Amino acid sequence: MTPTPHLTEIAARVERPAPFQPVDRSLLPEAGTATVDIVVPVYNEERALPGCLHTLHARLSEGFPFPWRITVADNASTDDTLATARRLADELPGVGVVHLDRKGRGLALRTVWGASDADIVAYMDVDLSTGLDGLLPLVAPLASGHSDLAIGSRLAAGARTVRGPRREFVSRCYNGIIRLTHGVRFTDAQCGFKAARTEVLRPLLEVTRDDAWFFDTELLLLAEHNGLRVHEVPVDWVEDVDTRVDVVSTATDDLRGLWRMARLKASGGARVAVRPRPAPSAEHPDAVLAPSTGRGVLSWEVGCFIAIGVVSTVGQALLYWLARGWWTPAVANLVSLFVLTVLNTEANRRLTFRHSSTAPARAHLGAGGLFVLGYLVTSGAVLWFKWLDPGASPAAETAVLAAASVAVTGVRFATLRLAVFAGPRSRTS
């Protein structure tokens, strides 16, 4: 990958900075004071750019309650996009232009965001696929200080999308891979509709390396890893088929990026010097609070572990019973135990030990050792039972399997709590 120029070097290429457009407080008495810089990255978009800027400018002028400006980030277009952007900047107050001589959406956003003097920076795609009704809900939690980053989500509850099955499938698979491999809570990494508070964004930008489409995911992974609050806005989204995205190439680059970020987090290089959020505290002056002891945490962990263990034991027994119609007891037990171990570990990571900072890969690797122990114990119990009673039914075998699974539960809990999920708690706990 080509080395990323330092932010101060790229910032000198800003050719037309635009002033922030003031808010008419006679019409909007509740208007805020936080300034907002909305970036529209473009590459060969001479056709789409005029409609985008006229529509966005009109919506902002009609009632956006924060001082704003629009910055067109032209990254190495080879058509008349730059000339079109300059013409529109002359025509529309509050529109500025930045030109980069290298292509890449991530590079464009890092350049403009890193040099911006706004309190809040945002971006949206030039095709305006995301409905602009979501812009104020995107910015408001940042202006209030409640959140650090805000993202539009096409997969959150309440979102409405119009897109083809291929893109829907790719999007859901990619975001599922992110949640499985990195244990994140956000649902949609690559919707082209995001915003951030500049003061918390700049340290993250110094660590980001991707110049292209993975930049969005990289930024969100860094934000969540460092305990920042990411706010999701369910959006309306309509697919524009006139796209510059090569789906196959982008997917390959994204998978490489996920692997790179996993290694960066494991090495400690993903830690950024950002001011941590204060711990939650009661607003009511006379609130009656529970004593701060570890007993409540232990009770939660034991209760969740038991509940998940019961469901897992039943699930394994059911899967074993179904698999015995095709396979031997040992093979049926191996398959059922493997499937339920993965699901059990993920459930415990997300619920029982949800405040642990243990990475998903380490959690599942540690659970692998417990998988071997569980397989040996449960298989031994079933085979021993079959040796004692060769004519035993699959239902009787299943009962023995369930009893053996319960026997290793105590060891599993102790190992998970004291070894696999031991260590520092997450900064968001």
Side-chain angles (χ1 to χ4, degrees):
M1 179 180 294
T2 304
T4 301
H6 193 275
L7 293 178
T8 55
E9 296 175 2
I10 304 176
R13 300 175 188 171
V14 176
E15 58 178 61
R16 295 194 183 192
F20 292 104
Q21 298 304 290
V23 178
D24 188 346
R25 296 186 179 277
S26 64
L27 299 177
L28 295 169
E30 302 299 325
T33 58
T35 52
V36 181
D37 192 351
I38 302 170
V39 181
V40 181
V42 291
Y43 171 73
N44 288 353
E45 296 286 2
E46 61 174 317
R47 182 194 66 82
L49 186 58
C52 168
L53 292 188
H54 281 110
T55 301
L56 178 58
H57 192 277
R59 289 293 295 269
L60 294 171
S61 300
E62 287 170 0
F64 192 67
F66 299 100
W68 57 270
R69 73 175 172 220
I70 303 170
T71 301
V72 179
D74 172 54
N75 45 320
S77 293
T78 57
D79 62 359
D80 288 334
T81 296
L82 181 58
T84 302
R86 290 169 175 164
R87 174 177 58 80
L88 291 166
D90 291 336
E91 176 185 340
L92 301 171
V95 175
V97 180
V98 176
H99 174 67
L100 291 83
D101 55 12
R102 284 203 292 118
K103 182 182 174 183
R105 184 176 72 171
L107 176 64
L109 292 175
R110 185 164 58 247
T111 301
V112 181
W113 280 359
S116 179
D117 59 348
D119 299 311
I120 297 170
V121 290
Y123 97 90
M124 62 184 62
D125 289 335
V126 69
D127 58 13
L128 298 182
S129 290
T130 307
L132 293 178
D133 287 344
L135 182 57
L136 183 55
L138 191 78
V139 170
L142 306 180
S144 69
H146 176 270
S147 300
D148 301 302
L149 284 81
I151 64 174
S153 174
R154 298 160 294 187
L155 302 177
R160 299 180 298 179
T161 62
V162 179
R163 59 177 169 179
R166 178 169 177 259
R167 188 139 183 190
E168 180 78 16
F169 176 77
V170 170
S171 177
R172 289 187 179 276
C173 287
Y174 177 64
N175 285 285
I177 291 173
I178 298 175
R179 290 194 295 274
L180 180 63
T181 57
H182 288 264
V184 298
R185 294 180 175 87
F186 55 81
T187 62
D188 190 353
Q190 293 208 305
C191 179
F193 199 68
K194 293 181 174 66
R197 293 196 297 124
T198 309
E199 64 174 331
V200 300
L201 179 66
R202 286 202 175 101
L204 301 181
L205 293 178
E206 295 293 340
V207 182
T208 58
R209 291 293 177 266
D210 191 82
D211 286 347
W213 301 99
F214 184 72
F215 171 82
D216 293 54
T217 304
E218 182 180 28
L219 186 66
L220 290 175
L221 290 176
L222 286 170
E224 192 160 291
H225 183 66
N226 285 280
L228 299 179
R229 177 175 286 168
V230 179
H231 176 73
E232 281 198 326
V233 178
V235 296
D236 296 336
W237 194 87
V238 179
E239 180 179 9
D240 188 332
V241 296
D242 180 20
T243 178
R244 304 293 180 266
V245 182
D246 183 334
V247 176
V248 175
S249 174
T250 300
T252 303
D253 291 341
D254 286 345
L255 293 177
R256 291 197 192 101
L258 290 176
W259 172 244
R260 175 174 59 82
M261 288 301 300
R263 289 185 297 158
L264 186 67
K265 291 197 289 187
S267 69
R271 285 295 178 190
V272 179
V274 293
R275 184 172 58 187
R277 285 191 162 272
S281 60
E283 294 280 359
H284 197 287
D286 300 320
V288 180
L289 304 178
S292 180
T293 66
R295 184 178 302 174
V297 174
L298 180 60
S299 299
W300 168 268
E301 291 178 348
V302 170
C304 272
F305 186 82
I306 291 175
I308 293 171
V310 170
V311 174
S312 298
T313 300
V314 173
Q316 184 191 353
L318 178 60
L319 188 57
Y320 174 85
W321 179 70
L322 294 174
R324 275 294 282 122
W326 295 282
W327 299 317
T328 64
V331 175
N333 183 43
L334 176 64
V335 173
S336 63
L337 184 61
F338 176 79
V339 172
L340 268 299
T341 295
V342 172
L343 297 177
N344 180 285
T345 302
E346 189 63 17
N348 278 306
R349 188 183 69 81
R350 290 176 177 269
L351 295 174
T352 308
F353 306 105
R354 68 190 190 280
H355 295 316
S356 172
S357 59
T358 299
R362 181 174 180 268
H364 285 280
L365 184 63
L370 296 173
F371 168 79
V372 174
L373 174 64
Y375 178 68
L376 292 176
V377 172
T378 54
S379 290
V382 172
L383 293 175
W384 176 73
F385 177 70
K386 285 288 291 182
W387 178 74
L388 290 178
D389 185 2
S393 67
E397 292 178 17
T398 301
V400 172
L401 177 71
S405 298
V406 172
V408 299
T409 296
V411 176
R412 179 179 172 81
F413 176 76
T415 305
L416 288 175
R417 191 173 197 273
L418 300 178
V420 177
F421 291 102
R425 299 295 186 176
S426 65
R427 292 166 62 176
T428 55
S429 61

